[in-house]
Amino acid sequence: MTMPDDDILAPRRPPSEGGSRASSARTGARGPIIDQEGHEIRPETLEQGFREFRFEFGQGSPFGNLTREQRIARLEAIAKLLDVAFILPGTNIRYGIDGLIGLIPVVGDIITTAISLWLVREARALGAPWYITARMLGNVAVDGVVGMVPLAGDAFDVMFRANMRNVRLLRRWLDKQPRI
């Protein structure tokens, strides 16, 4: 027995459900609303809460109001997370999530390269000149291409630390700039 498409979208009600139940179904009332502690919540309270709750889109970037120093600190924190966040137990070797995500063949290296490229984009937005940006892109390219090699590339990712190199390049350039 097949069901027509209309019944799938809006099931038919038996004729016995007329009158008062049909009107209460339209308003959405199905009984008391109970919270996690078992207390009844009045519908007026919910309506007031929904009117006060707003989620506004298009009010600008959540990072748009950061100062220059805050943006640089964010870049340094991301670079440390990617390259030197953890220590291999029993050794002095530091690695980050770049080395871990890079263990996923191809996709992991694409993801970490994309994050590294975002760091270069942020450096450019901070005013880094073309020659600094070019060196940063070279570091990302070397890290991305060599990182594609299974196992050896992951070891190279751990030792090369392209993101830390890029942040160091940016920091050196920024330190030479006059303070405004």
Side-chain angles (χ1 to χ4, degrees), residues 11-26:
R12 294 184 187 155
R13 302 217 182 265
S16 64
E17 286 189 14
S20 65
R21 293 204 35 104
S23 64
S24 68
R26 273 184 256 130

Side-chain angles (χ1 to χ4, degrees), residues 80-97:
K80 285 178 183 176
L81 178 67
L82 286 170
D83 289 341
V84 294
F86 313 108
I87 298 175
L88 192 63
T91 68
N92 214 10
I93 299 173
R94 298 187 71 89
Y95 65 97
I97 61 171

Side-chain angles (χ1 to χ4, degrees), residues 99-100 102-106 109 145-159:
L100 295 176
L103 291 172
I104 303 168
V106 182
D109 294 310
V145 170
V146 177
M148 292 277 189
V149 177
L151 296 176
D154 297 317
F156 179 79
D157 272 346
V158 169
M159 303 313 281

Side-chain angles (χ1 to χ4, degrees), residues 2-172:
T2 60
M3 184 183 277
D5 289 341
D6 294 337
D7 286 343
I8 293 171
L9 298 175
R12 294 184 187 155
R13 302 217 182 265
S16 64
E17 286 189 14
S20 65
R21 293 204 35 104
S23 64
S24 68
R26 273 184 256 130
T27 61
R30 294 186 179 148
I33 300 170
I34 308 296
D35 67 4
Q36 291 180 348
E37 285 84 33
H39 304 294
E40 183 177 348
I41 300 174
R42 287 187 271 143
E44 312 81 60
T45 310
L46 284 177
E47 290 171 11
Q48 179 184 6
F50 285 130
R51 274 184 262 132
E52 292 174 3
F53 178 76
R54 266 182 252 157
F55 194 80
E56 297 178 9
F57 294 101
Q59 297 299 319
S61 170
F63 304 116
N65 298 330
L66 296 179
T67 65
R68 183 181 180 115
E69 287 302 316
Q70 289 172 329
R71 292 174 76 180
I72 295 166
R74 180 182 62 186
L75 291 178
E76 288 175 344
I78 292 171
K80 285 178 183 176
L81 178 67
L82 286 170
D83 289 341
V84 294
F86 313 108
I87 298 175
L88 192 63
T91 68
N92 214 10
I93 299 173
R94 298 187 71 89
Y95 65 97
I97 61 171
D98 186 1
L100 295 176
I101 296 173
L103 291 172
I104 303 168
V106 182
V107 175
D109 294 310
I110 291 171
I111 290 170
T112 56
T113 301
I115 295 170
S116 297
L117 288 173
W118 179 80
L119 291 174
V120 174
R121 183 201 155 278
E122 283 292 303
R124 188 70 184 149
L126 284 169
W130 67 270
Y131 62 91
I132 297 291
T133 308
R135 285 187 63 190
M136 292 173 82
L137 286 172
N139 288 336
V140 171
V142 168
D143 187 43
V145 170
V146 177
M148 292 277 189
V149 177
L151 296 176
D154 297 317
F156 179 79
D157 272 346
V158 169
M159 303 313 281
F160 186 65
R161 300 178 181 157
N163 300 303
M164 292 300 293
R165 288 174 186 255
N166 288 344
V167 168
R168 198 174 323 122
L169 277 171
L170 179 65
R171 180 53 88 173
R172 283 185 194 148

